[in-house]
Amino acid sequence: ATDLRAPVVLKLLLPLSTFFSSPLLDPTMSRLIRPQVLNNAFLTAANEARQKAPSLTHNQKVARLYRHGLKTLSSWVIDRDVFLDEATDLRARFDANRGVSGNAANRLLGEGEDELFQNTHPDPYTVAYMPGGSLFMRNPPLPMEVCFPDGDYPADAPTITFNPDMTVCKPETGKSAIGSVLVDYAKKNME
């Protein structure tokens, strides 16, 4: 009789071993392969809770890449003077490619995302009230239904809804925690 569990164990160990090693490069493409360590059932559940990502222009993607680059840099560099020097170098790299358009711009954006992925800090700095911070959801506001069970809200009662990270819910920003929301503690963000 053959043991059917051995191939399953091998399939489960392969993604974990690739996760803890350095990112792999696909020989047919110049992009990084980001290893998948979660099973399909969890990914399906996470995708149902995840907010719909807003469609972004190329300029917005580059601005977000720059901002994430600065945040990653602040996680790695503690000394403020060194951070300012490195931030100036990062800004010069972005400014050097400012006028590029078309396929070269998309290629540079992909290379920048890959470099950001490679340089991601294992324990990034987190603002105290954001997911992963020491104050996250320490004193969340009570729902209006709990404060006023009879439904008789006073005229001066707040009408805004807060996300779990204490930002105001705005559907146009892609951060609206009305209903279910996925808080990813590994990446320390709300999706």
Side-chain angles (χ1 to χ4, degrees), residues 20-31:
F20 291 113
S21 63
S22 62
L24 303 174
L25 282 176
D26 185 359
T28 60
M29 298 170 44
S30 64
R31 303 262 320 182

Side-chain angles (χ1 to χ4, degrees), residues 36-166:
Q36 178 181 347
V37 295
L38 304 175
N39 63 19
N40 289 332
F42 181 80
L43 288 176
T44 303
N47 286 334
E48 288 182 17
R50 191 169 282 137
Q51 301 285 321
K52 180 185 171 203
S55 59
L56 302 173
T57 64
H58 181 75
N59 288 341
Q60 290 172 325
K61 290 178 186 177
V62 171
R64 286 188 180 194
L65 177 64
Y66 177 69
R67 188 177 76 237
H68 287 299
L70 287 176
K71 286 181 180 181
T72 301
L73 184 63
S74 70
S75 294
W76 283 110
V77 179
I78 296 173
D79 186 15
R80 190 68 178 168
D81 293 330
V82 175
F83 172 78
L84 292 174
D85 292 339
E86 294 294 326
T88 303
D89 294 343
L90 181 65
R91 181 61 189 211
R93 288 177 62 191
F94 273 83
D95 287 340
N97 297 312
R98 181 177 284 260
V100 177
S101 62
N103 290 335
N106 290 331
R107 179 186 53 81
L108 287 170
L109 183 64
E111 289 174 1
E113 290 171 350
D114 292 342
E115 184 178 348
L116 182 67
F117 177 74
Q118 286 177 334
N119 294 323
T120 299
H121 196 278
D123 188 23
Y125 172 76
T126 305
V127 180
Y129 58 85
M130 297 298 281
S134 60
L135 295 177
F136 176 65
M137 292 298 287
R138 183 172 287 182
N139 296 313
L142 294 173
M144 296 297 283
E145 297 82 24
V146 173
C147 296
F148 306 102
D150 58 355
D152 186 23
Y153 302 138
D156 61 345
T159 58
I160 57 174
T161 306
F162 290 102
N163 290 317
D165 62 357
M166 302 306 287

